[in-house]
């Protein structure tokens, strides 16, 4: 697969965004972060493009995503991006994700916020 999307969704908005993005990009696999969390770490994606799609919770990342980032190996992945869905603003969550990725030896190349039903 060219792109792997790691998705966490509470009420379905982020999953809907991931499914639409996967359809537009093509050659994309969607992986559930809660299911990935049950696997032995490190999780090693087999794609040159990796995206994280998640809701903003309390102005930041959902806890499960904060716990997932240290478990995923991304040093071989050249392009890492994120889409935060939110009722208001998602900037801080994207900055928080970039910080966690840097602590894990990587970084966020691009991030978008999609305003959704809150
Ligand atoms: C517990 C909780 C906290 C939230 N906190 C924020 C927030 O701080 N800022 C914001 O813009 N939206 C916030 N939202 C709205 C969600 O980010 C938004 O509805 C998102 O699209 C939900 O995605 P999901 O259906 O994939 O869970 C919150 C939603 C929930 C349930």
């Amino acid at each position: 697969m060219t792109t792997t999307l790691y998705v966490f969704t509470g009420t379905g908005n982020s999953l809907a965004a991931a499914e639409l993005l996967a359809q537009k990009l093509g050659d994309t696999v969607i992986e559930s972060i809660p299911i990935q969390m049950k696997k032995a770490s490190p999780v090693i994606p087999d794609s040159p493009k990796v995206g994280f799609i998640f809701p903003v919770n309390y102005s930041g990342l959902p806890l499960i995503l904060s716990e997932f980032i240290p478990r995923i190996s991304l040093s071989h992945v050249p392009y890492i991006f994120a889409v935060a869905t939110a009722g208001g603003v998602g900037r801080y969550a994207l900055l928080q994700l970039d910080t966690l990725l840097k602590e894990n030896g990587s970084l966020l190349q691009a991030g978008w916020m999609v305003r959704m039903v809150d």
Side-chain angles (χ1 to χ4, degrees):
M1 289 291 166
T2 303
T3 307
T4 299
L5 301 177
Y6 290 100
V7 179
F8 172 69
T9 191
T11 62
N13 289 352
S14 304
L15 180 59
E19 287 175 343
L20 182 61
L21 188 57
Q23 189 186 322
K24 297 278 182 195
L25 290 174
D27 197 31
T28 296
V29 64
I30 295 175
E31 300 281 9
S32 157
I33 291 174
I35 290 173
Q36 294 294 314
M37 286 292 282
K38 292 182 180 160
K39 296 183 180 172
S41 62
V43 172
I44 303 174
D46 188 22
S47 300
K49 298 177 192 172
V50 166
F52 296 95
I53 308 196
F54 56 91
V56 173
N57 280 172
Y58 304 115
S59 301
L61 295 181
L63 180 61
I64 194 169
L65 184 55
S66 308
E67 292 172 345
F68 180 59
I69 296 302
R71 294 168 59 95
I72 185 167
S73 174
L74 293 167
S75 53
H76 62 294
V77 177
Y79 185 69
I80 300 166
F81 65 97
V83 177
T85 75
V89 291
R91 180 173 176 270
Y92 180 71
L94 292 167
L95 292 172
Q96 190 185 353
L97 177 60
D98 185 44
T99 300
L100 288 176
L101 287 168
K102 282 176 179 156
E103 285 170 8
N104 198 26
S106 189
L107 72 121
L108 193 63
Q109 265 93 25
W112 291 268
M113 200 279 286
V114 179
R115 189 157 287 152
M116 290 281 205
V117 175
D118 184 359

